[in-house]
Amino acid sequence: MPHFSSRLTARIVWEHDGEEWIDTRTTAYTHDAVLVIITDKRLRQRVAAWLTPTDVRRR
């Protein structure tokens, strides 16, 4: 799995707040998924999540 760091915008769907596009960065990817780092005041800590490539856009 390739590792790198790249800035992008990711589509996140929050349980109570709905859909939001956030600025974030990615640290890894595969053909089917992109690993993004999510830092948000609604979360108590930094979280990593695998998203589909259609849910991310390069900045």
Side-chain angles (χ1 to χ4, degrees):
M1 172 180 1
H3 290 274
F4 67 98
S5 182
S6 178
R7 293 175 171 230
L8 51 86
T9 303
R11 178 182 166 270
I12 305 296
V13 180
W14 301 102
E15 182 179 5
H16 298 288
D17 297 334
E19 180 181 298
E20 177 182 5
W21 286 87
I22 62 169
D23 291 335
T24 188
R25 65 185 176 86
T26 185
T27 58
Y29 69 93
T30 68
H31 179 70
D32 299 322
V34 179
L35 182 63
V36 299
I37 306 301
I38 303 167
T39 305
D40 190 274
K41 63 184 178 186
R42 290 167 278 201
L43 303 172
R44 295 179 187 254
Q45 60 189 7
R46 193 177 324 180
V47 175
W50 286 99
L51 303 178
T52 63
T54 58
D55 287 331
V56 297
R57 297 178 186 154
R58 288 187 175 193
R59 288 195 267 157

